[in-house]
Amino acid sequence: MSISTAATPPGIGAIRSFPKVELHVHLEDCLTSERIEELAAEAGVPMLRPADSLFVYSSLAEFLEVFEWWCDLLRTTRIAEQLAYDAAVQARHDGIVYAELFCGPRYWTRLRREPLIEALAAGFERAHGDGHADLALVPSISREQSAEWAMGLVEWLGASGPARVVGLGLDGNEAMTGRTSPKFTEVYARANELGLGRTAHAGESSGPEGVWDALEHLHVDRVDHGVRSIEDAALLEHLATNGITLNVTPSSNVITGMYPDIDHHPVGPLIEAGVPVTINSDATKGMNLTLSGEFDKVSRSLGWSLADVAAATRRAIDAAFCGQEKAASLHRQVDDHLYGSEGNSPRRDGNS
């Protein structure tokens, strides 16, 4: 697999109009600082920082500290439903046609997980009905939670969960909570039995060993971040051979201090090694990022053409938990954008 090295970057306008797919973005990060300020006022809670400096971080640990503070303001199903709706509006404005968003019930301390997830799914459904982006939900376990709690979530999803829930995730700062352990092995096995896609944050605050743990203990279908895989040639070969996708977030990794800038991010070498890699924003409002902006930065750094943007989008479609029929439809949207609805496309079946 090669990367274009002499292409003229397509530019932000062409990228924004491209029908994009995103697999690594957190719903709780779709709040503007102004909306957080409103929620704080409603709750009678003083702002942690002034709104104009709320989203300034120097490390992953600092980001998570601020993130958990504003999540405490998310206290009702009404707020949850509107946040989900607004996320779909934001996605549509950025040219995103389909996305799978994480929700961490642990961070919604004022709501039970079941009504929370139902409210979020309802917001997605209402927004899609109004013509906004088609969004799906991936509830995420935190590493410090119990296996019993996680299994309860999975069993409820299998029995009564909304149709817009398509997968199960795992998050948490590995440097603070420890790497992925066998604690959730049975939980992930049950999720697989119930038809849920499996993913986990790994290889961000941990090294490549964190990715190995997620593969060994959880048998994940894809890995969120996973950028430290670049440090282990055997792991790169394993990921490439088995087609395990890394959902990378270049600017997020720079903001939290992992890499000095986009040019030093391993997204290019990972793709050169044959690993399926997708481009994602991670935290839209919380880090002032967009998927179009990420594609633009990567395109400028690596000399990508629009064809490279399309290839990354197709990798995202192939890694999505949306099912074959939806994936085929998304591939057709890419085809129609590139070749015109009346043109002859090289891909009409949605295959990789």
Side-chain angles (χ1 to χ4, degrees):
M1 184 181 298
S2 62
I3 303 171
S4 300
T5 56
T8 300
I12 190 66
I15 291 171
R16 186 172 290 118
S17 66
F18 193 88
K20 296 176 292 298
V21 172
E22 186 163 27
L23 302 180
H24 186 166
V25 59
H26 294 266
L27 181 58
E28 296 90 350
D29 278 305
C30 295
L31 284 164
T32 64
S33 59
E34 293 79 11
R35 178 58 177 151
I36 292 172
E37 194 169 35
E38 290 175 2
L39 291 173
E42 289 176 14
V45 175
M47 288 289 286
L48 182 68
R49 305 173 178 174
D52 59 3
S53 62
L54 185 63
F55 297 152
V56 178
Y57 327 100
S58 60
S59 68
L60 176 61
E62 184 182 6
F63 165 72
L64 290 174
E65 177 185 359
V66 179
F67 173 81
E68 292 193 26
W69 174 82
W70 82 62
C71 282
D72 183 60
L73 303 173
L74 305 173
R75 300 183 175 188
T76 69
T77 55
R78 176 187 59 82
I79 291 171
E81 197 269 352
Q82 189 61 47
L83 172 58
Y85 187 96
D86 293 345
V89 175
Q90 293 170 19
R92 180 180 65 83
H93 287 324
D94 196 34
I96 295 169
V97 292
Y98 176 79
E100 295 174 1
L101 278 73
F102 294 110
C103 159
R106 182 184 82 80
Y107 302 110
W108 298 70
T109 57
R110 311 300 180 111
L111 288 174
R112 292 187 299 113
R113 65 193 178 198
E114 293 85 358
L116 164 64
I117 290 170
E118 290 170 345
L120 296 175
F124 287 166
E125 191 68 27
R126 180 166 67 90
H128 190 227
D130 288 347
H132 301 297
D134 188 4
L135 303 186
L137 193 65
V138 178
S140 190
I141 309 163
S142 291
R143 283 183 168 85
E144 65 269 28
Q145 291 181 292
S146 70
E148 292 75 19
W149 185 95
M151 186 64 83
L153 169 65
V154 168
E155 293 291 1
W156 176 77
L157 291 174
S160 308
R164 286 193 175 270
V165 175
V166 296
L168 181 70
L170 180 72
D171 63 28
N173 186 343
E174 295 165 280
M176 296 178 66
T177 63
R179 286 158 36 196
T180 304
S181 72
K183 178 170 68 170
F184 298 117
T185 296
E186 293 184 7
V187 174
Y188 266 68
R190 182 60 175 150
N192 184 54
E193 291 174 357
L194 294 171
L196 295 169
R198 299 162 298 175
T199 188
H201 284 57
E204 180 189 20
S205 54
S206 68
E209 65 278 1
V211 178
W212 280 121
D213 290 342
L215 296 173
E216 177 184 357
H217 300 312
L218 307 181
H219 305 286
V220 292
D221 304 298
R222 64 195 197 207
V223 176
D224 302 300
H225 293 299
V227 288
R228 300 282 300 277
S229 301
I230 198 66
E231 301 166 19
D232 185 334
L235 178 55
L236 290 177
E237 182 178 0
H238 179 86
L239 296 170
T241 300
N242 292 279
I244 298 170
T245 301
L246 301 184
N247 295 322
V248 306
T249 62
S251 289
S252 169
N253 295 155
V254 172
I255 290 168
T256 57
M258 288 186 66
Y259 302 103
D261 51 45
I262 297 296
D263 289 342
H264 288 87
H265 193 279
V267 55
L270 286 167
I271 295 173
E272 289 283 11
V275 178
V277 170
T278 70
I279 306 299
N280 306 270
S281 65
D282 195 3
T284 52
K285 300 304 180 182
M287 291 185 175
N288 192 29
L289 303 173
T290 65
L291 182 57
S292 293
E294 291 306 284
F295 269 118
D296 185 49
K297 294 171 190 174
V298 171
S299 296
R300 293 176 185 278
S301 177
L302 300 180
W304 276 14
S305 68
L306 193 62
D308 295 295
V309 173
T313 300
R314 293 198 190 278
R315 291 193 294 270
I317 296 169
D318 291 339
F321 297 149
C322 59
Q324 293 184 351
E325 183 176 349
K326 178 65 179 178
S329 173
L330 292 169
H331 278 300
R332 286 193 294 271
Q333 289 187 62
V334 172
D335 291 337
D336 291 346
H337 186 87
L338 291 173
Y339 310 111
S341 59
E342 302 300 323
N344 294 320
S345 164
R347 310 186 46 146
R348 287 292 178 185
D349 58 359
N351 293 328
S352 303

